């Protein structure tokens, strides 16, 4: 499973870099403002999968989702107060984007990747 998660994280990084080159103005604006706010929680969720054997409470998708969302929301709240964590500009829409990223990760984990990760174990 660790190899599958490492590959997933590398693929997400490649997508992030390559998608920044898109010349379509609307997609470019979305990428610049919100793409990282979706993909970072998605990646964090799967990083927690790497340590769930050592921390059994993390086996629940719901616990992982809540922890990741709270971490990202804390980062955004700190930005509001001028303390920079993960980014430097406060945007209240980022909270929704973090939620989207966490929900997509949980859905992917429970539906799509369940079969893939069982193959790697």
């Amino acid at each position: 499973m660790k190899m599958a998660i490492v590959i997933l994280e590398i693929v997400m990084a490649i997508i992030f870099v390559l998608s920044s080159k898109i010349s379509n103005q609307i997609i470019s604006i979305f990428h610049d403002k919100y793409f990282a706010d979706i993909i970072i929680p998605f990646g964090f969720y799967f990083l927690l999968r790497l340590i769930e054997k050592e921390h059994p409470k993390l086996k629940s998708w719901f616990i992982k989702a809540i922890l990741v969302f709270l971490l990202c929301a804390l980062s955004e709240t700190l930005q509001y107060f001028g303390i920079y964590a993960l980014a430097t500009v406060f945007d209240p829409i980022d909270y929704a984007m973090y939620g989207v990223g966490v929900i997509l990760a949980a859905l992917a984990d429970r539906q799509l990747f369940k079969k893939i990760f069982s193959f790697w174990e």
Side-chain angles (χ1 to χ4, degrees):
M1 178 176 67
K2 288 181 181 179
M3 181 62 76
I5 291 173
V6 168
I7 291 170
L8 174 66
E9 298 288 335
I10 291 170
V11 168
M12 288 186 331
I14 291 169
I15 290 170
F16 182 76
V17 170
L18 293 179
S19 64
S20 69
K21 308 293 184 211
I22 296 174
S23 62
N24 182 308
Q25 185 178 8
I26 294 172
I27 294 173
S28 179
I29 290 169
F30 173 79
H31 181 275
D32 293 345
K33 290 183 177 257
Y34 303 115
F35 187 71
D37 296 332
I38 295 171
I39 204 164
I40 287 173
F42 191 95
F44 282 171
Y45 179 96
F46 285 99
L47 288 176
L48 288 179
R49 290 277 322 243
L50 293 175
I51 61 170
E52 65 184 19
K53 285 186 180 179
E54 294 84 14
H55 303 280
K57 290 180 182 179
L58 291 177
K59 287 194 181 274
S60 165
W61 68 268
F62 186 75
I63 297 297
K64 285 190 286 283
I66 291 295
L67 285 175
V68 170
F69 181 79
L70 289 176
L71 172 69
C72 293
L74 174 64
S75 166
E76 196 65 30
T77 303
L78 289 173
Q79 291 170 44
Y80 176 79
F81 292 107
I83 302 169
Y84 304 123
L86 293 181
T88 58
V89 178
F90 174 77
D91 182 354
I93 296 173
D94 288 353
Y95 292 108
M97 296 300 112
Y98 296 145
V100 168
V102 168
I103 289 168
L104 289 175
L107 286 173
D109 183 26
R110 295 183 43 83
Q111 302 297 320
L112 180 65
F113 295 139
K114 184 182 267 187
K115 295 174 185 172
I116 294 170
F117 288 145
S118 65
F119 170 77
W120 287 87
E121 293 191 44

